[in-house]
Amino acid sequence: QGQLVESGGGVVQPGRSLRLSCAASEFTLSTYGIHWVRQAPGKGLEWVSVISYDGSNRYYADSVKGRFTISRDNSKHTVYLQMTSLRREDTAVYYCARVQRMTAYFEHWGRGTLVTVSS
Amino acid sequence: SSVLTQPPSLSVAPGKTARITCGGNNIGSRSVHWYHQKSGQAPVLVIFYDTDRPSGIPERFSGSKSGNTATLTISRVEAGDEADYYCQVWDKTSDHWVFGGGTKLTVL
């Protein structure tokens, strides 16, 4: 089944930047699309972004478009989420999840990393 | 983009059947996937493509769809089924992935 491990979360001031990583182990990351999904404290799941297996297609939620950038380095078995111009409403646990095709179901999730945007 | 509507909460006695609904425009033409999320844990896929069950998910979990409503049914509910349940679709008109608001299942 393999593992996805998110990292890079922490406390950051509004307006600053942060880069999250999603590292894959025990499976071949380069054959999977990867989504980022977030969950604000006490709230539901919100889709954030997706990147295709080869990086050729990327999509973003309206709430983060123009501020967040998804990328991947298959040689390092890692997908990134570069977050800029962070807002308090970006505070959430960020999960990465893999899909066999971009439009398919989220078959396996990481445990998440907490991002807190606060002054 | 699509909006998926779920009841915020549902309470069921052990051994009974829980039915969690997910409504939305054009849901009949979209594949619906379901996840459960236990407290403090990551979501887990329980039903995909409306009715399919991943390996490791008990047969007590089943999915169905009629018109613009998808339903996750949990038969013979157990205390361990207590969790938040989310439906999800891909909105091809916007290339956005959409989750329902979630249903908190309480086992009495």
Side-chain angles (χ1 to χ4, degrees), chain A residues 35 37 39 43-47 50 59-62 95 101-107 109-111, chain B residues 1 33 35 37 40-45 48-49 84 86 88 90 94-101:
Chain A
H35 290 258
V37 176
Q39 187 171 36
K43 302 297 184 182
L45 301 173
E46 179 190 14
W47 173 74
V50 62
Y59 298 99
Y60 300 92
D62 295 344
Y95 298 99
R101 296 186 318 281
M102 285 176 67
T103 59
Y105 47 89
F106 303 96
E107 64 175 40
W109 301 62
R111 293 188 174 187
Chain B
S1 59
H33 316 301
Y35 308 85
Q37 184 181 32
Q41 298 184 20
V44 172
L45 179 72
F48 62 99
Y49 293 137
D84 295 323
Y86 296 91
Q88 177 255 318
W90 168 55
S94 62
D95 275 322
H96 280 38
W97 285 254
V98 182
F99 289 93

Side-chain angles (χ1 to χ4, degrees), chain B residues 14-73:
Chain B
K16 299 299 185 182
T17 298
R19 293 181 180 86
I20 300 171
T21 59
C22 175
N25 289 338
N26 300 317
I27 205 171
S29 62
R30 297 187 169 133
S31 295
V32 180
H33 316 301
W34 291 91
Y35 308 85
H36 74 191
Q37 184 181 32
K38 297 183 179 181
S39 181
Q41 298 184 20
V44 172
L45 179 72
V46 295
I47 293 289
F48 62 99
Y49 293 137
D50 302 335
T51 60
D52 293 344
R53 195 175 51 251
S55 60
I57 299 300
E59 292 183 6
R60 301 183 296 105
F61 287 77
S62 62
S64 62
K65 198 166 64 176
S66 178
N68 282 332
T69 300
T71 302
L72 172 68
T73 301

Side-chain angles (χ1 to χ4, degrees), chain A residues 12-31:
Chain A
V12 61
Q13 292 178 330
R16 302 299 290 266
S17 299
L18 203 62
R19 189 179 78 163
L20 305 183
S21 298
C22 171
S25 60
E26 301 171 16
F27 72 95
T28 305
L29 182 69
S30 60
T31 63

Side-chain angles (χ1 to χ4, degrees), chain A residues 1 46-47 58 64 70 81 84 115:
Chain A
Q1 160 118 307
E46 179 190 14
W47 173 74
R58 312 174 195 204
V64 307
I70 193 170
L81 186 67
T84 64
V115 173

Side-chain angles (χ1 to χ4, degrees), chain A residues 26-87:
Chain A
E26 301 171 16
F27 72 95
T28 305
L29 182 69
S30 60
T31 63
Y32 290 88
I34 295 291
H35 290 258
W36 285 95
V37 176
R38 68 185 181 183
Q39 187 171 36
K43 302 297 184 182
L45 301 173
E46 179 190 14
W47 173 74
V48 173
S49 182
V50 62
I51 188 167
S52 59
Y53 72 99
D54 61 355
S56 61
N57 290 290
R58 312 174 195 204
Y59 298 99
Y60 300 92
D62 295 344
S63 58
V64 307
K65 197 168 186 178
R67 299 188 300 123
F68 290 11
T69 303
I70 193 170
S71 62
R72 65 191 299 155
D73 185 341
N74 285 336
S75 67
K76 295 183 178 179
H77 313 291
T78 303
V79 170
Y80 304 99
L81 186 67
Q82 179 70 47
M83 306 185 294
T84 64
S85 302
L86 281 162
R87 305 167 180 169

